[in-house]
Amino acid sequence: MVGLGPKPPPSRKGTGHLSDIPKDLKKEIENLERLFTVDQTKLKAITKHFVSELDKGLSVEGGSIPMNPTWVMSFPDGYETGTFLALDMGGTNLRVCEITLTDQKSEFDIIQSKYRMPEELKVGQSEELWDYIADCVNQFIETHHDDVSKLDKLPLGFTFSYPATQNYIDEGILQRWTKGFDIAGVEGKNVVPMFEAALAAKGTPIKLAALINDTTGTLIASAYTDTKMKIGCIFGTGCNAAYMENAGSIPKLAHMNLPADMPMAINCEWGAFDNEHKVLPRTPYDIIIDNDSPRPGQQAFEKMIAGLYLGELLRLIMVDLHDNHETHIFANQDISKLRRAYTLDSSFLSAIEEDPWENLQETSELFNEKLGINPTHPELCLVRRAAELIGTRAARLSACGVAAISIKKDYKTCHVGADGSVFNKYPHFKERGAQALKEILDWPDKKDPKEEDPIEILAAEDGSGVGAALIAALTLKRVQAGNLSGILHPENFV
Ligand code: BGC
């Protein structure tokens, strides 16, 4: 930025001077706008279909959205206590935490370490994955405890953020890998024994108390400090939500004869919404992403929204406009780096959308450094508009899921706790999502801009750390109280 003086305030949120853009590029921009814009009517149609698909997922026959019962059967009251380990196996990082829920209402202490999840492990062998995870847990315990041999077995909440069937809270039968993972021999199996075997081999003193999804953790952790929280969402590498259902409204659990008003957190796994491609406005770029992914036909909704795919969408657009269209953007430049799949992540789009300069100086530098490309100014304007369209579509489609749960549960007002890199870091994601919710639910204009929306999506508490510890605590409490459904195998009930 040398020589440019202080940054001017961003003068506008849109693209540079569209009037400077040659006609052919303008035509491409209009085409992208047509492909990526989801208007109010479409948002409402998607939401309507979403509501019926949520119901279908709870039915005995089931549907695309798994709607997994989690055996998390209450909200915390703020008086949970104890020390717990939490392991978060996310899409990008591994995190190990030790959380102490203190005697003070809703207060906790936390120590944590983060470990990178090596790319090769995501598509490698099952044993290597569990061994690496056990190593990280072991390393964490050895760093934070003096004499591990004297340590009592610590209860652990394992945040395993993939669709998993749970007949009990301490099991997770992986339905399918998502977020680009592709490790043979795990789908269809309970991951807990695999994880426990790796821990046992290292003599790690841990007892798994609960396997949880990051969305359920987010819901519980957020409700710990805010009783208006009704939905937990993740908008990160993947995307998904959880909410509290009544057992009586879950036909696929009818055989368990649970009291109708017994709460049961449902991990929706809404990334799988519209796998049949009935309503989502997929573009040719979405179709390529799906076809080239390890699980074609799966996670249709997630692939249009989640952080893992936003950079890839932009990359595919740019390669297409270079190769196949009359405009030939980046003509006569070496685009070999851009040709590499998944070379751009969502932070690339964030940086473009955040570029405050009228001449898109920072975007230009980014292209130079990362891709070895020198775009012209009109090309930069096109790229900026493409990023805006991708980011806006992601936020607006996400709102359909939140609206669908709210309509299904008849929540007229509530808080929604959201976490994940896209929610926390992607510029304007929150505002765009809030605007879409307003359009779907027909809220009147606010009198005062500071007023809360009836349904407000807020930054969540740490779900996969504190949430996991709370769920472990709630599970132990349930055991002590003798409410063992979803904990003990029925043959062990006396
Ligand atoms: C997984 C979910 C998870 C979400 C956010 C999705 O790919 O299937 O279980 O909650 O990502 O991490």
Side-chain angles (χ1 to χ4, degrees):
M1 280 316 105
V2 186
L4 287 173
K7 278 188 184 185
S11 51
R12 35 129 209 92
K13 293 223 171 82
T15 314
H17 297 299
L18 284 179
S19 53
D20 298 344
I21 297 185
K23 258 206 188 126
D24 52 349
L25 273 196
K26 230 189 214 164
K27 238 178 68 194
E28 294 298 355
I29 291 179
E30 282 162 11
N31 186 38
L32 290 174
E33 285 170 343
R34 219 178 19 257
L35 284 174
F36 280 87
T37 303
V38 191
D39 67 12
Q40 185 183 22
T41 312
K42 187 69 181 169
L43 286 177
K44 287 189 174 186
I46 295 169
T47 306
K48 189 162 175 237
H49 187 53
F50 216 129
V51 177
S52 63
E53 289 296 298
L54 293 174
D55 285 335
K56 213 172 178 186
L58 293 175
S59 70
V60 176
E61 305 74 39
S64 280
I65 306 184
M67 302 296 277
N68 292 327
T70 64
W71 303 101
V72 173
M73 297 164 84
S74 58
F75 281 116
D77 59 17
Y79 293 103
E80 291 70 20
T81 54
T83 296
F84 303 88
L85 282 181
L87 166 67
D88 177 14
M89 181 186 159
T92 314
N93 293 313
L94 258 189
R95 189 166 60 117
V96 187
C97 320
E98 188 171 311
I99 295 125
T100 302
L101 306 171
T102 67
D103 294 341
Q104 299 285 310
K105 184 170 191 278
S106 302
E107 301 252 327
F108 58 86
D109 297 323
I110 182 165
I111 45 175
Q112 54 182 321
S113 298
K114 261 192 183 175
Y115 307 86
R116 206 177 66 82
M117 177 71 100
E119 282 305 313
E120 10 3 309
L121 275 192
K122 299 183 185 173
V123 292
Q125 300 300 313
S126 165
E127 297 72 37
E128 287 166 8
L129 172 78
W130 300 115
D131 192 56
Y132 177 77
I133 296 176
D135 259 342
C136 295
V137 176
N138 222 15
Q139 201 179 315
F140 177 88
I141 295 188
E142 280 174 0
T143 312
H144 296 288
H145 293 273
D146 291 337
D147 192 350
V148 178
S149 62
K150 290 213 187 98
L151 209 61
D152 276 342
K153 280 199 167 184
L154 283 168
L156 171 100
F158 177 18
T159 304
F160 180 73
S161 301
Y162 305 86
T165 306
Q166 293 189 277
N167 298 304
Y168 313 100
I169 199 161
D170 61 353
E171 99 174 355
I173 302 165
L174 178 64
Q175 293 164 341
R176 75 195 67 84
W177 285 117
T178 58
K179 297 183 274 210
F181 276 65
D182 188 12
I183 303 167
V186 189
E187 284 170 326
K189 303 221 175 89
N190 181 7
V191 298
V192 172
M194 301 185 199
F195 172 53
E196 283 182 333
L199 286 176
K202 294 183 197 301
T204 316
I206 279 178
K207 168 87 194 86
L208 187 136
L211 179 135
I212 68 167
N213 186 260
D214 50 2
T215 54
T216 318
T218 299
L219 172 70
I220 296 301
S222 299
Y224 189 51
T225 52
D226 177 355
T227 50
K228 283 178 81 182
M229 286 287 179
K230 299 280 186 232
I231 301 173
C233 290
I234 300 289
F235 303 112
T237 308
C239 93
N240 187 16
Y243 73 101
M244 202 57 99
E245 191 50 273
N246 307 312
S249 307
I250 311 175
K252 63 184 177 186
L253 288 188
H255 62 283
M256 303 227 25
N257 295 318
L258 300 169
D261 59 353
M262 179 168 262
M264 172 72 78
I266 296 292
N267 162 22
C268 301
E269 289 296 336
W270 76 17
F273 169 62
D274 203 29
N275 279 350
E276 316 65 18
H277 308 140
K278 281 194 182 145
V279 62
L280 288 173
R282 295 205 310 160
T283 68
Y285 307 110
D286 298 302
I287 294 171
I288 299 175
I289 289 201
D290 187 30
N291 288 342
D292 293 351
S293 74
R295 297 288 178 279
Q298 302 291 349
Q299 303 297 95
F301 187 58
E302 175 162 272
K303 284 172 176 158
M304 298 173 82
I305 293 177
L308 178 60
Y309 306 102
L310 300 184
E312 185 62 1
L313 277 168
L314 181 63
R315 190 190 73 82
L316 288 170
I317 291 174
M318 293 192 289
V319 171
D320 183 34
L321 294 185
H322 173 84
D323 288 349
N324 305 331
H325 287 245
E326 293 156 15
T327 36
H328 288 299
I329 63 167
F330 316 140
N332 306 320
Q333 300 210 38
D334 174 11
I335 72 152
S336 50
K337 283 194 180 152
L338 184 65
R339 286 204 188 279
R340 235 174 281 145
Y342 289 90
T343 211
L344 306 178
D345 62 24
S346 55
S347 68
F348 190 84
L349 277 82
S350 299
I352 296 174
E353 284 223 54
E354 260 162 0
D355 187 345
W357 301 99
E358 204 57 37
N359 64 355
L360 298 174
Q361 170 88 19
E362 289 179 9
T363 308
S364 175
E365 284 165 7
L366 198 64
F367 268 76
N368 225 303
E369 283 157 24
K370 180 127 184 97
L371 300 168
I373 294 175
N374 284 309
T376 62
H377 180 66
E379 285 167 357
L380 287 172
C381 293
L382 177 140
V383 168
R384 161 83 152 225
R385 185 71 186 123
E388 265 173 21
L389 287 166
I390 294 168
T392 304
R393 186 186 72 163
R396 288 173 72 78
L397 289 179
S398 306
C400 296
V402 175
I405 296 180
S406 306
I407 292 169
K408 174 176 168 46
K409 292 299 293 173
D410 202 22
Y411 296 145
K412 298 283 189 271
T413 65
C414 69
H415 287 169
V416 176
D419 207 347
S421 51
V422 173
F423 184 79
N424 291 325
K425 295 196 194 132
Y426 197 97
H428 318 302
F429 188 84
K430 292 173 209 161
E431 297 77 8
R432 289 167 177 168
Q435 169 61 29
L437 262 187
K438 174 175 187 285
E439 289 175 37
I440 300 168
L441 299 170
D442 288 315
W443 293 332
D445 288 337
K446 288 186 211 173
K447 291 193 190 79
D448 174 357
K450 281 193 239 113
E451 221 175 89
E452 264 203 355
D453 282 327
I455 295 172
E456 187 85 31
I457 308 183
L458 301 166
E461 294 295 331
D462 169 16
S464 35
V466 179
L470 282 167
I471 291 172
L474 290 171
T475 306
L476 300 184
K477 208 159 144 184
R478 222 153 33 94
V479 171
Q480 280 152 14
N483 170 10
L484 298 173
S485 36
I487 300 177
L488 271 195
H489 295 231
E491 60 272 21
N492 296 334
F493 278 70
V494 188

